[in-house]
Amino acid sequence: MNHTIAIRGLTKRYGTFEAVSDLTLEVEPGSICGLLGPNGSGKSTTFKCLLGLVRPTSGTIEIEGKPVDASTFASLGFVPERPALFEKFTVAQHLDLNRRLYQKYDAARANELIDLFKLDRKKRAKRLSKGQQTALSLVLAFSIRPRILILDEPASGLDPIFQRAALDLIIDAAAGGATVLFSSHQIGQVERAADRVAILKRGKLVLDGNVDTLKGQEKVVEAIFEGAVPESNGLINDPRVRRVERTGRILRLYVRGDGDEFVRQLERLGPRSVDVLDLNLEDIFLGAVGERDESSSGVV
Amino acid sequence: MPAIFTIDPRSGVPLYHQLIEQVKRAVALGTLAPGEQLPTVKALALDLTINPNTVARAYRELERDQVIETSPGRGSFVRDNGSSIEAGRAVADIAQGAVDAAVREAKSFGLGRDAVIATFERVLERWYPSNPSGRNS
């Protein structure tokens, strides 16, 4: 399989602090991969390494099969963590710069997007609001008709309508064959736009997969008892059980795979009812990065 | 074009499953007629603001289930034959799922088997009256 974006064994240390630890992440052509993780989990460091803004301590990064160099940027649209704009340039001057720098720059598309985000062409970058700076960064990234998009928080500071517009841009680009890696704090955005999700925690990849496949695999088996929840030691040691939660008369098992077998096991404990519940991406995310479960058995 | 399908990305049910069910339901109900063209993958992805590969996956499975057919360059269409049988089956599945969820909930409330049957008969009587002209006594 040819991967458009291939991060292999990436480690980045700042002094003794390891921001990213042995991260391997490969994104297939035409896929939209959403990168999720709490603050400080290494998302932005990963993006900086991808864009060549910082040098990895070890590991390799390839885009379209080659290490990142100047030629990579001809077909790469990007939005960095902090907008890379020229404070004194107006919106129109930024477009002019893009026209001179990028062969594939599409002026009609740029104008369309400027209107979409209602940006004032005469305004200087430093006078734009945070959201308008993000919007201008998006216009610059998408108006070069990129094959690859690397977007660190591409909707930050945007109002809900423009957030949706940003998602539409990503979806439209992917439908045209572009490959996208984007990070977001809003799980709902990843749940819509991404077919693939990667979850980081303290610099390490803790969960990675197709969003729909993960939803199909991860289940909660919930048993409600008449009285106290009985002991269920055997279940806690099962490697497919990711987490056990006891709340009053309710016992919840977070399991990977078919829940039916656990239903049968729990029914032997004589509960009033047993149910299998689906997990959405937020549940899956919290399960993957959560620390709130002290009663947890070992996470797989 | 108004959305012909509604999906809930925040649900734990995989999106492509939701989409497959929606298309089958639309075919069974006649909202999508045999021979009718479906939106392109790109148009539907943008319409619903969901991932294009997810739409493509749903279309592939619908093709395998012989509900739709795709001809390169022309698009995807509801099949003339067979689709109604498959869609009828799908509607029966959807109905069973709804009944299943209701019975499961009744059980979790602690209702006994007889109470559930009695409830079921009351609801059945409402929608399928055994004495259509008069009211239940």
Side-chain angles (χ1 to χ4, degrees):
Chain A
M1 170 77 59
N2 269 334
H3 300 287
T4 303
I5 300 170
I7 302 169
R8 298 195 179 102
L10 176 71
T11 295
K12 175 64 189 175
R13 259 180 239 123
Y14 294 105
T16 55
F17 175 66
E18 200 158 279
V20 178
S21 304
D22 195 23
L23 172 68
T24 293
L25 180 65
E26 294 166 327
V27 187
E28 291 168 29
S31 178
I32 301 176
C33 179
L35 195 58
L36 291 174
N39 286 331
S41 57
K43 300 186 301 288
S44 284
T45 303
T46 303
F47 281 99
K48 283 179 193 156
C49 291
L50 270 168
L51 297 172
L53 299 172
V54 299
R55 196 153 72 164
T57 306
S58 58
T60 61
I61 289 173
E62 286 183 352
I63 290 185
E64 295 189 316
K66 296 179 308 181
V68 177
D69 61 22
S71 70
T72 311
F73 286 86
S75 44
L76 175 80
F78 65 94
V79 171
E81 187 187 22
R82 292 197 183 79
L85 302 172
F86 297 91
E87 283 198 350
K88 291 189 176 166
F89 278 22
T90 62
V91 168
Q93 284 171 323
H94 277 91
L95 295 188
D96 188 42
L97 186 64
N98 245 25
R99 180 178 62 77
R100 289 164 195 271
L101 289 176
Y102 292 96
Q103 263 181 6
K104 288 194 296 171
Y105 174 74
D106 182 339
R109 178 68 168 159
N111 281 314
E112 217 177 277
L113 297 180
I114 288 286
D115 292 339
L116 173 72
F117 287 111
K118 300 187 168 65
L119 288 170
D120 179 351
R121 289 174 174 75
K122 292 186 200 115
K123 225 172 193 176
R124 293 186 196 283
K126 77 169 172 193
R127 291 194 50 229
L128 297 175
S129 70
K130 168 93 175 69
Q132 288 169 333
Q133 290 186 358
T134 302
L136 178 56
S137 302
L138 285 168
V139 173
L140 298 175
F142 283 88
S143 61
I144 62 163
R145 296 281 179 196
R147 285 198 305 271
I148 307 132
L149 283 150
I150 292 179
L151 312 169
D152 195 356
E153 293 279 348
S156 80
L158 298 179
D159 71 25
I161 294 166
F162 287 159
Q163 284 182 20
R164 183 55 71 89
L167 280 195
D168 281 341
L169 286 179
I170 292 173
I171 289 165
D172 179 65
T179 307
V180 185
L181 178 64
F182 81 106
S183 69
S184 178
H185 276 298
Q186 298 202 32
I187 295 170
Q189 291 173 353
V190 174
E191 203 158 32
R192 277 188 175 275
D195 50 354
R196 162 93 180 276
V197 63
I199 299 175
L200 293 181
K201 178 185 178 181
R202 292 203 205 97
K204 292 195 176 70
L205 187 66
V206 287
L207 195 66
D208 172 25
N210 179 277
V211 178
D212 273 351
T213 306
L214 287 173
K215 281 185 175 179
Q217 275 175 355
E218 307 268 332
K219 301 282 169 197
V220 175
V221 186
E222 182 184 82
I224 302 170
F225 293 86
E226 298 285 354
V229 175
E231 286 303 311
S232 48
N233 301 324
L235 291 167
I236 293 171
N237 295 325
D238 191 309
R240 289 164 300 177
V241 178
R242 299 168 69 85
R243 190 162 116 218
V244 179
E245 249 179 33
R246 293 160 200 274
T247 320
R249 296 175 180 178
I250 303 169
L251 173 67
R252 286 194 193 94
L253 299 180
Y254 288 74
V255 302
R256 168 164 278 190
D258 188 10
D260 290 350
E261 195 199 318
F262 294 97
V263 170
R264 280 192 293 277
Q265 292 198 42
L266 285 179
E267 272 172 348
R268 282 190 220 123
L269 300 172
R272 206 173 77 183
S273 71
V274 183
D275 213 348
V276 179
L277 310 173
D278 294 311
L279 287 180
N280 66 16
L281 191 57
E282 187 171 358
D283 301 323
I284 294 169
F285 172 78
L286 291 173
V289 302
E291 342 237 346
R292 57 199 173 106
D293 47 306
E294 292 308 313
S295 61
S296 158
S297 61
V299 168
V300 183
Chain B
M1 181 183 66
I4 43 172
F5 309 118
T6 52
I7 49 115
D8 176 11
R10 298 228 152 168
S11 145
V13 179
L15 276 180
Y16 80 98
H17 277 312
Q18 293 186 39
L19 206 49
I20 289 168
E21 188 175 288
Q22 290 270 317
V23 173
K24 285 181 176 173
R25 191 194 286 250
V27 170
L29 295 175
T31 323
L32 280 173
E36 195 170 336
Q37 184 162 13
L38 283 118
T40 62
V41 166
K42 180 174 176 168
L44 190 55
L46 282 170
D47 190 24
L48 300 173
T49 318
I50 60 171
N51 185 277
N53 288 333
T54 303
V55 177
R57 184 175 181 184
Y59 277 17
R60 275 199 305 278
E61 297 218 359
L62 285 163
E63 229 172 292
R64 216 177 51 202
D65 288 348
Q66 309 198 329
V67 177
I68 66 171
E69 55 195 343
T70 299
S71 62
R74 287 187 58 232
S76 298
F77 300 84
V78 178
R79 273 177 76 118
D80 278 322
N81 323 316
S83 61
S84 57
I85 300 164
E86 169 61 35
R89 210 178 294 139
V91 165
D93 282 351
I94 293 165
Q96 182 169 338
V99 173
D100 188 81
V103 173
R104 209 170 359 136
E105 186 153 352
K107 193 183 174 203
S108 77
F109 290 153
L111 257 64
R113 189 188 166 90
D114 288 345
V116 174
I117 291 173
T119 307
F120 204 79
E121 277 174 350
R122 263 199 309 280
V123 176
L124 208 57
E125 194 53 40
R126 179 176 166 206
W127 296 102
Y128 297 88
S130 47
N131 176 14
S133 55
R135 287 174 186 277
N136 297 341
S137 52

